[in-house]
Amino acid sequence: MLRIAVPNKGSLSGPAAEMLHEAGYQQRRESKELRIVDPENEVEFFYLRPRDIAIYVSSGRLDIGVTGRDLLIDSGANAEEILPLGFARSTFRYATKPGTANGVEDLKGMTIATSYEGIVAKHLADQGIDASVVHLDGAVETAIELGVAEVIADVVETGTSLRNAGLEVIGKPIMKSEAVVIRRTGAEADDTVEPKVQQFLRRLQGVLVARTYVMMDYDCRVEQLEKAVALTPGLESPTVSPLHNEGWVAVRAMVPSKEAQRIMDDLYDIGARAILTTAIHACRL
């Protein structure tokens, strides 16, 4: 069976389980379950701490895993990203009290507190900055107030918690993270495992496409077809079928869900009618 590591808790856990369910895989019913077998798909899922997943995958004991790009890099494990999943996005930034520093070049000789020592140490080394890194497990905002560090490095979303602590973001982002599928670096292609890995990746890619696109159907007059098709080119090309009423055709095409409302407006303006959108639940391209 294909052995897959999945986050057992935290912000990665729920969305990962939802995506795997959409991809047709069984998922655990209770949070206490640490391992389940999906015999129909020949997959075995192991529910592990998100921070440990890269270590397990790099050991070769598990074939692939779902974790955060940040946790992968921070672990220093011998594993690599093979598919971004588009959820649990975050940005890592430096922050400090106003007037302390303006950019990463000003951090030389300072002490930086973070929960992601591996990421910060690598970034500082890449930038040629000699600074000390102190590892803290969460609530790093208080490190400056308590004199543990002059600077912190942490996930920044809205920046509200930083401002409440009297801190400001400095410099460019350290990195941008999201959920990813990972695999041991240089993993040998096993004839029994590789087809299952590729099937797993195709299914997840299908979910990503289904979440990104909707199916659009509409009717339009033949003389307006070229304009309509220009608005809805589809992936290869739209499906066009003649209607019973002469001079009219029915058109079907996949369109980006974020642009669906604008496209509907534009189609209506050129005379298209009966414009419908339908959610896509599964897809293979």
Side-chain angles (χ1 to χ4, degrees):
M1 286 193 171
L2 186 66
R3 295 158 64 89
I4 302 175
V6 183
N8 67 343
K9 59 182 179 180
S11 60
L12 289 165
S13 178
E18 183 180 354
M19 175 170 279
L20 291 170
H21 177 72
E22 290 181 36
Y25 294 102
Q26 293 182 25
Q27 289 297 286
R28 61 181 180 174
R29 296 181 179 180
E30 296 182 4
S31 60
K32 294 181 180 180
E33 293 182 276
L34 301 180
R35 168 184 170 274
I36 68 164
V37 175
D38 181 351
E40 292 186 4
N41 292 301
E42 298 183 3
V43 172
E44 191 173 6
F45 290 103
F46 294 83
Y47 295 87
L48 307 170
R49 291 179 67 245
R51 278 190 172 273
D52 297 337
I53 287 176
I55 303 298
Y56 280 103
V57 172
S58 69
S59 73
R61 299 294 182 180
L62 300 179
D63 298 304
I64 52 180
V66 176
T67 188
R69 182 181 295 132
D70 53 346
L71 299 175
L72 168 63
I73 295 174
D74 194 59
S75 71
N78 187 34
E80 61 184 353
E81 173 184 334
I82 58 175
L83 179 67
L85 297 177
F87 64 85
R89 288 190 171 100
S90 59
T91 304
F92 283 79
R93 305 290 298 264
Y94 292 112
T96 186
K97 287 188 175 294
T100 303
N102 295 318
V104 67
E105 65 278 359
D106 299 325
L107 302 184
K108 183 178 180 180
M110 293 188 181
T111 301
I112 304 165
T114 183
S115 299
Y116 298 84
E117 184 178 1
I119 292 175
V120 176
K122 181 179 184 303
H123 184 260
L124 291 171
D126 291 344
Q127 298 296 318
I129 304 298
D130 183 13
S132 300
V133 181
V134 175
H135 179 84
L136 296 176
D137 285 325
V140 296
E141 293 93 341
T142 60
I144 296 177
E145 182 180 353
L146 296 178
V148 174
E150 295 105 324
V151 181
I152 66 169
D154 202 8
V155 176
V156 177
E157 294 180 0
T158 64
T160 300
S161 60
L162 291 179
R163 287 192 294 271
N164 290 341
L167 306 178
E168 65 178 9
V169 169
I170 61 170
K172 296 180 180 180
I174 301 170
M175 68 167 295
K176 292 183 181 294
S177 180
E178 64 181 292
V180 296
V181 179
I182 65 171
R183 191 177 192 181
R184 182 166 60 90
T185 303
E188 296 181 4
D190 186 290
D191 290 342
T192 59
V193 174
E194 191 63 23
K196 296 184 178 69
V197 171
Q198 295 306 316
Q199 181 188 65
F200 180 79
L201 295 176
R202 282 196 302 271
R203 287 194 182 190
L204 293 188
Q205 288 168 334
V207 172
L208 292 172
V209 172
R211 290 179 172 183
T212 305
Y213 288 85
V214 294
M215 189 65 72
M216 184 169 290
D217 294 89
Y218 59 90
D219 300 339
C220 76
R221 296 195 61 83
V222 173
E223 57 265 28
Q224 298 299 328
L225 182 58
E226 290 304 317
K227 291 182 179 179
V229 167
L231 294 171
T232 59
L235 297 185
E236 281 80 26
S237 64
T239 300
V240 179
S241 306
L243 292 178
H244 180 70
N245 288 341
E246 188 175 349
W248 284 81
V249 293
V251 183
R252 163 169 280 201
M254 289 172 62
V255 301
S257 54
K258 290 183 179 180
E259 301 177 22
Q261 291 295 333
R262 177 190 60 79
I263 293 172
M264 293 175 78
D265 290 337
D266 292 343
L267 287 171
Y268 191 88
D269 289 342
I270 65 172
R273 295 295 180 265
I275 309 169
L276 307 173
T277 60
T278 309
I280 301 170
H281 297 289
C283 180
R284 296 289 187 278
L285 298 181

